Amino acid sequence: MAGAGAARPTSRDVARVAGVSQATVSLVLGDKWRGRVSERTARLVRDAAGELGYRPNLAARNLRLGRTRTALLVVPALTNEFFARVYTGAAAVAARHGFGVVLYPSPEGVGPARDPFASARAALDGVIASSMAADALRAIRGTDLPLVMLDSDPADSDAAAHVNLDIADGMRQVTDHLLALGHRRFVHLSSAVPSWTFDVRGRALAACLGGVPGVGVRTVPAPLEVNGAREAAERALTAPGPRPTALVCDDDIVAAGACKAVRRLGLRVPEDVSVTGFDDLALATAVEPELTTVRLPAERIGERGMTALLDVLEGRPPERGDLPVTLMPRGSSGPPPAP
């Protein structure tokens, strides 16, 4: 084993110890030896590399291969805990395969972002992007960079792979829960951010409640921030006609604003109005009462997204099927008040 002060071992040193050529060392350590050298020779090379403490120069190798082993992850905002967890999952898988992940959040938090690598697309091997930041990719679409879309329209033909959550089932779980408690007057506080994932939530809610006798549902757009959501909820709760008994929110942040609106109007959660969210962020258990919400496996989305990109780069079919989501019933939902 080379000492602390010794020169870093080279592939030439490995070849000398193993009694093979440098070309053979490159084949074995680049995992391209099968069918070209014997199992015995491959084992000799790996043993010699381990004995010497040799590590391939990945930077030089990647330059020769035209690969940088770098993926770009485009998300709406780092201030949103959900996307920070998506990054954690993607980075964990990337690290296991010798890849790095460059994170690019939209400067405005939501909506379109500038072309993040207008002069450096050659420094990327592929892109993973949330549907909420899809407009940031206009300059990248149409290039030869493979694109993996997260939580996005599966009909998008520009993407090499899609990783989706079963969002519609999550909304079905919410509505089944509230209907079982006896709710019949609903307001859907829908995110005002244009995105496929929020469109799915709205369609799923309408489909779940549309055929139920005696049920009324009204949709009120709400900004994806607490104060704007509070104002939207106050308008919904004070509108003419019978007061809704359940506020179904597209996001936990919107739900937090809805809870504030209920209290500011002198009402109680859930005795007067039940509130549900979506995501299961940390704030879902920080508010009081704790928020009934749908848990989305954010880290798993990142893991699947990075794995799908690696599959595309290696010519393998990515894993199919939506990731399951889970209703987390907590204190913010209960039976409606007596008539």
Side-chain angles (χ1 to χ4, degrees):
M1 186 71 68
R8 177 175 175 169
T10 66
S11 61
R12 182 175 299 169
D13 297 324
V14 176
R16 175 178 51 77
V17 172
V20 299
S21 68
Q22 278 185 266
T24 299
V25 171
S26 295
L27 286 173
V28 173
L29 298 184
D31 201 26
K32 295 182 178 181
W33 60 273
R34 291 172 181 80
R36 304 170 79 171
V37 302
S38 68
E39 288 269 5
R40 177 181 176 277
T41 299
R43 187 167 58 252
L44 286 171
V45 171
R46 287 194 294 265
D47 289 347
E51 177 186 341
L52 294 169
Y54 171 75
R55 294 177 182 172
N57 186 337
L58 288 177
R61 177 175 179 269
N62 291 335
L63 284 173
R64 289 196 303 273
L65 294 176
R67 287 267 185 97
T68 62
R69 304 186 79 80
T70 303
L72 178 69
L73 176 62
V74 184
V75 298
L78 281 184
T79 52
N80 187 313
E81 170 200 338
F82 178 82
F83 293 106
R85 287 160 50 200
V86 169
Y87 168 78
T88 298
V93 171
R96 291 199 295 269
H97 291 83
F99 264 70
V101 177
V102 176
L103 186 60
Y104 185 77
S106 168
E108 303 304 322
V110 294
R114 297 185 303 273
D115 177 8
F117 277 85
S119 62
R121 273 174 226 129
L124 299 172
D125 286 332
V127 180
I128 307 167
S130 160
S131 65
M132 290 179 65
D135 285 344
L137 301 170
R138 285 177 179 166
I140 290 176
R141 289 177 181 271
T143 71
D144 58 357
L145 282 175
L147 171 64
V148 173
M149 291 300 300
L150 308 180
D151 205 16
S152 66
D153 188 349
D156 179 2
S157 59
D158 286 343
H162 295 269
V163 176
N164 281 337
L165 297 153
D166 199 344
I167 294 295
D169 182 63
M171 192 58 83
R172 180 193 61 76
Q173 292 180 51
V174 168
T175 54
D176 284 354
H177 171 69
L178 292 172
L179 288 171
L181 288 171
H183 291 276
R184 294 297 182 267
R185 297 195 302 274
F186 294 83
V187 161
H188 176 209
L189 286 177
S190 66
S191 169
V193 175
S195 171
W196 177 85
T197 186
F198 292 130
D199 290 344
V200 169
R201 294 169 211 211
R203 291 196 299 268
L205 179 67
C208 290
L209 297 180
V212 181
V215 165
V217 58
R218 187 159 53 95
T219 298
V220 175
L224 200 55
E225 49 94 13
V226 172
N227 285 331
R230 174 185 56 76
E231 293 171 358
E234 286 178 358
R235 290 193 298 272
L237 290 168
T238 57
R243 188 173 64 224
T245 64
L247 302 179
V248 180
C249 304
D250 270 354
D251 181 272
D252 288 351
I253 296 170
V254 173
C259 289
K260 291 186 72 170
V262 173
R263 288 191 294 271
R264 287 200 180 191
L265 292 172
L267 303 171
R268 298 166 298 167
V269 176
E271 290 84 356
D272 299 307
V273 182
S274 288
V275 178
T276 64
F278 228 92
D279 280 356
D280 199 25
L281 303 177
L283 68 79
T285 53
V287 298
E288 187 61 42
E290 294 185 355
L291 188 63
T292 293
T293 186
V294 176
R295 175 173 290 172
L296 306 183
E299 290 190 19
R300 182 73 183 114
I301 297 167
E303 292 170 359
R304 274 275 296 270
M306 188 66 215
T307 300
L309 179 58
L310 292 170
D311 287 339
V312 170
L313 290 172
E314 297 300 326
R316 297 185 299 264
E319 184 178 353
R320 300 176 67 86
D322 293 349
L323 290 166
V325 302
T326 308
L327 179 71
M328 307 299 293
R330 297 193 182 106
S332 70
S333 58

